[in-house]
Amino acid sequence: MTGPTDTLALRDLTKIFRIKTGTFRHADLRAVDDVSVSITPGRTLAVVGESGSGKTTLARLILRLIDPTQGSIRLEGTDITQMKGAALEDMRGRMQIVFQDPYDSLSPWQTVGRTVAEPLLLHENMSRQDATGPVAAMLERVGLSPEHARRYPHELSGGQAQRVGIARAMITNPALVVLDEPTSSLDMSVQSQILLLLQSLQEERNISYLFISHDLTVVRYIAHDLAVMYLGKVVESGPAAEVFASPRHPYTEALLKAAPRPDPHYKTDHVHLLGEQPSALDRAPGCPLFGRCPIAEDVCADMPQELVEIEAGHRVACWKRT
Amino acid sequence: MSALLELHGLEVEIEGLPILRGVDLEVRPGEILGVVGETGAGKSMTARSILDLLPAKARLSFDTCTFGGEDFIPARARQLARGHRIGFVPQRPRGSLNPVFRVGKQIVDTLRRLRGMTRKEAKDEALSLLRSVRITDPERVYRSYPHELSGGMCQRVCIAIALAGEPELIIADEPTTGLDVTIQAEILKLLGEVIAEHNAAGMLITHDLGVVADVCDRVAVMYAGRVINLGTTVEIYREALHPYANQLVSIASSLDSGGTPQEIPGRVPNPGDDLAACAFAPRCFRAEDDCFQEEPPLVHIEGQMAFCHHPLTSEVVSA
């Protein structure tokens, strides 16, 4: 499943948060549970799931902003799971992130030029003078003008601010960029501009994207591969076109059918998952969907099912569908 | 068909900035009208004008406005209609319920105020309203505080409250925005069903063209404080007359089918920006000199109306 050429390879990655539930009591929240995925250069892996599925925790683990409980993270073949200090700082230039809210993620006190230069100063020990040239070129590349370097975030529109966020992420020429809902706070007409920009940058630089989203319309457009998460677990993964065309896990099926599509002749199917997503605290050992799943049987309650390959690259964790 | 709600020339100004610049729209009995647009287009302000929920500094004017055939003054809706003839489903369900009172009390209070019921009658009616929004254990929800309920459940409660006054029109402002996809689908379906069951009409404000296609009979597309295109959902999605509406739909459908979306250059104008005669002209691929100088005319073609000099239709192009 993972090869030496992968930009990113996760193996059995797990993050357990201890939550205080009383004076002497704790409960375990398995925010990310045994996740193994990989991305090859120039491809986009979309991680989709609803709130509480662990998508954002996964991104924070990969970027080494928090430490995993178990498992390993390899970036371009190097194990970065335990990396610390200066070595990690150098590695950060290879992996960057674009955030959901472009205004929140830019410092209101810094000019655009300073913000975009920062990764060069930090990770490549460049001087501010030396950074001016690359910053101007990067701003032009993302569709802004070099004059924008002197502006402050509040002078920018949402789309322009997101272009700055993209410029900052791309300036160190990273191998991996995590895109955390990069278009969900933007208007439709601007959304398509940003998606086109991300795509052309990927083609030009062979970057790998980890695209986190709950918006299946955007994912359908941009993703090569797809991993569907539910309560911290990847329940289905594979080539995006294949998963969209023939989803196998009942949760994926529900998610795809429930998503409204811009076609008045298409009626969304209101799928029959029972109730709402339960708390991830102290989950039962079986399938995370047990209790909501319309096709569950006894085995689903007690035995966790691993991801099983049912077709080339298409994996499903379901007792009934494998 | 005579309209349930008819609005002409609605203008709203806040601290000298024009927010709505002459909104025309009508909601027909039994239909769900979708109001779509990007940030700042004036969707929510239109709803708030009708509900008399505008901020204190807002100044409102209009040419004509009727509700159920009678003259209706949006700015005085508070006593006349809000809650009673017009129900409102908010965007943030949990935030719009009072956190310190049980859900049951909030519904009961609404019923007693709007329908003059006794405590006992109101309780029975509240439970039946909770059942009508497909809550399977109404007694438990009745006794719950908002924080004990999930987002989807809170939205069901808000829909129940919107129904309490037996309204003729239900206005829902982005009712599913913060909800998960699977819950969103259930709430939209519920909203459509209760509107039909109560013989009401609906006005659904959203930025999501998927949601509109799913539940709305007709769509009003707003841009820079005006409705620039209005028509049946099927017509608008097939071939919208206005280039803006047309491109918006085509972006959504090309993303949906995995195709490459067209790009609309530029950005949405902010209130107070200098606008061309047609506010969309600077971004429009069909714009000519007249679009910048003369107010766009109203064109009516095949179940659609649009304000545009160069609408996208073969008839007009060949004329």
Side-chain angles (χ1 to χ4, degrees):
Chain A
M1 165 172 201
T2 59
T5 57
D6 293 337
T7 310
L8 178 76
L10 307 180
R11 172 158 281 178
D12 306 334
L13 197 63
T14 302
K15 177 68 185 178
I16 301 173
F17 290 109
R18 285 233 115 160
I19 309 282
K20 239 178 131 95
T21 53
T23 318
F24 299 106
R25 273 182 296 183
H26 297 277
D28 282 347
L29 190 148
R30 302 180 79 91
V32 169
D33 196 354
D34 235 359
V35 170
S36 304
V37 291
S38 59
I39 318 177
T40 49
R43 284 181 77 86
T44 301
L45 169 72
V47 177
V48 299
E50 300 181 285
S51 49
S53 63
K55 317 185 286 286
T56 300
T57 306
L58 182 68
R60 293 169 67 203
L61 285 171
I62 292 169
L63 294 164
R64 290 293 324 277
L65 300 174
I66 52 174
D67 291 321
T69 313
Q70 273 164 38
S72 70
I73 309 160
R74 296 179 88 87
L75 186 72
E76 297 183 287
T78 312
D79 190 328
I80 61 164
T81 325
Q82 303 298 333
M83 211 177 245
K84 285 193 175 65
L88 182 60
E89 282 311 309
D90 287 345
M91 211 59 192
R92 290 204 189 282
R94 305 294 300 149
M95 49 180 190
Q96 289 288 318
I97 179 165
V98 176
F99 295 95
Q100 173 169 5
D101 186 317
Y103 290 112
D104 268 2
S105 56
L106 300 177
S107 164
W109 316 113
Q110 287 190 2
T111 60
V112 163
R114 182 64 217 275
T115 296
V116 176
E118 192 104 331
L120 289 179
L121 313 186
L122 268 176
H123 307 306
E124 306 201 350
N125 301 318
M126 212 179 253
S127 73
R128 271 203 220 184
Q129 265 85 28
D130 292 345
T132 335
V135 167
M138 195 66 230
L139 287 176
E140 283 203 293
R141 178 62 193 87
V142 297
L144 297 168
S145 70
E147 285 78 65
H148 279 104
R150 288 195 299 275
R151 305 254 189 100
Y152 285 89
H154 72 267
E155 300 172 76
L156 307 175
S157 70
Q160 286 174 330
Q162 196 57 299
R163 287 174 198 271
V164 173
I166 293 172
R168 173 183 58 184
M170 299 289 174
I171 196 151
T172 54
N173 231 333
L176 171 75
V177 176
V178 174
L179 304 163
D180 189 358
E181 309 249 12
T183 60
S184 61
S185 67
L186 302 174
D187 277 319
M188 276 170 288
S189 63
V190 180
Q191 222 178 54
S192 65
Q193 295 171 359
I194 296 294
L195 290 174
L196 288 168
L197 172 65
L198 287 170
Q199 218 168 29
S200 77
L201 283 164
Q202 179 173 54
E203 279 161 21
E204 176 184 300
R205 299 165 177 226
N206 214 25
I207 315 170
S208 300
Y209 287 152
L210 182 88
F211 193 96
I212 295 175
S213 184
H214 68 277
D215 184 343
L216 292 167
T217 308
V218 171
V219 168
R220 198 187 287 264
Y221 172 65
I222 204 158
H224 300 108
D225 300 294
L226 191 63
V228 179
M229 286 185 78
Y230 186 74
L231 289 183
K233 283 224 168 250
V234 172
V235 295
E236 182 159 5
S237 69
E242 153 97 19
V243 178
F244 271 108
S246 51
R248 300 293 280 270
H249 196 282
Y251 179 69
T252 315
E253 217 174 12
L255 204 60
L256 294 185
K257 281 188 182 164
R261 301 179 67 173
D263 174 1
H265 302 292
Y266 173 89
K267 285 290 159 216
T268 52
D269 197 341
H270 304 279
V271 201
H272 326 289
L273 286 185
L274 311 163
E276 297 189 19
Q277 184 171 292
S279 158
L281 281 178
D282 285 331
R283 225 173 22 74
C287 174
L289 196 63
F290 185 77
R292 296 184 72 194
C293 181
I295 59 166
E297 284 181 2
D298 290 350
V299 60
C300 307
D302 316 318
M303 296 268 294
Q305 169 64 301
E306 301 298 318
L307 281 167
V308 174
E309 186 153 5
I310 48 164
E311 245 165 275
H314 191 173
R315 294 177 175 79
V316 185
C318 178
W319 287 110
K320 302 286 307 271
R321 295 284 171 80
T322 49
Chain B
M1 204 187 325
S2 70
L4 175 65
L5 171 76
E6 203 170 342
L7 263 178
H8 285 290
L10 176 68
E11 291 181 18
V12 169
E13 205 180 277
I14 297 179
E15 294 184 324
L17 294 177
I19 307 292
L20 298 183
R21 304 180 306 117
V23 170
D24 300 322
L25 58 80
E26 53 168 45
V27 184
R28 297 174 183 165
E31 79 169 355
I32 299 181
L33 175 76
V35 179
V36 292
E38 301 183 276
T39 314
K43 317 181 284 292
S44 287
M45 279 297 166
T46 304
R48 284 164 170 271
S49 306
I50 300 166
L51 290 156
D52 185 19
L53 287 172
L54 288 174
K57 287 172 187 154
R59 292 189 21 211
L60 174 144
S61 66
F62 58 94
D63 297 338
T64 57
C65 179
T66 58
F67 186 77
E70 299 155 34
D71 280 345
F72 172 75
I73 301 170
R76 300 210 193 118
R78 201 166 302 222
Q79 281 79 32
L80 291 172
R82 193 210 305 162
H84 199 73
R85 300 184 70 187
I86 305 181
F88 179 53
V89 179
Q91 176 165 8
R92 291 168 42 251
R94 189 170 287 124
S96 45
L97 292 172
N98 190 330
V100 302
F101 295 116
R102 293 177 199 272
V103 161
K105 176 179 164 52
Q106 300 187 44
I107 308 176
V108 164
D109 286 352
T110 313
L111 285 165
R112 297 189 64 192
R113 182 170 57 79
L114 293 175
R115 285 160 67 184
M117 289 180 165
T118 65
R119 238 171 251 286
K120 173 78 185 63
E121 286 168 346
K123 180 172 183 184
D124 292 343
E125 178 65 15
L127 289 171
S128 102
L129 281 171
L130 289 174
R131 267 188 292 273
S132 76
V133 294
R134 324 288 189 256
I135 289 176
T136 45
D137 47 352
E139 276 84 10
R140 182 184 66 86
V141 173
Y142 186 91
R143 285 191 311 271
S144 302
Y145 287 97
H147 73 267
E148 299 173 300
L149 302 174
S150 67
M153 203 53 99
C154 283
Q155 193 57 293
R156 284 172 200 269
V157 170
C158 287
I159 295 175
I161 292 176
L163 293 170
E166 301 182 307
E168 294 152 68
L169 174 67
I170 292 178
I171 298 182
D173 187 359
E174 305 265 9
T176 58
T177 298
L179 303 176
D180 283 331
V181 184
T182 48
I183 307 304
Q184 167 175 321
E186 286 170 22
I187 294 290
L188 286 174
K189 177 176 174 234
L190 173 69
L191 205 55
E193 285 172 359
V194 296
I195 286 172
E197 283 164 17
H198 289 75
N199 298 316
M203 183 167 151
L204 176 67
I205 291 165
T206 178
H207 64 279
D208 188 331
L209 287 168
V211 167
V212 171
D214 204 18
V215 292
C216 297
D217 303 296
R218 292 192 311 143
V219 202
V221 182
M222 293 191 71
Y223 189 80
R226 298 188 84 172
V227 172
I228 48 106
N229 202 165
L230 196 152
T232 62
T233 309
V234 173
E235 281 299 314
I236 295 275
Y237 281 66
R238 193 180 63 81
E239 178 82 282
L241 288 179
H242 198 285
Y244 172 69
N246 202 291
Q247 279 186 291
L248 222 47
V249 171
S250 101
I251 288 175
S253 13
S254 54
L255 283 178
D256 181 64
S257 61
T260 304
Q262 288 176 359
E263 212 170 328
I264 304 181
R267 62 174 181 83
V268 176
N270 291 322
D273 284 358
D274 278 332
L275 298 176
C278 167
F280 186 61
R283 305 177 69 190
C284 184
F285 68 103
R286 290 172 72 84
E288 288 172 28
D289 288 350
D290 49 354
C291 303
F292 290 88
Q293 279 136 24
E294 291 161 43
E295 280 288 313
L298 176 62
V299 287
H300 278 276
I301 295 163
E302 287 174 19
Q304 280 190 60
M305 51 153 271
F307 286 100
C308 185
H309 283 288
H310 308 284
L312 287 145
T313 167
S314 40
E315 286 170 48
V316 170
V317 170
S318 60

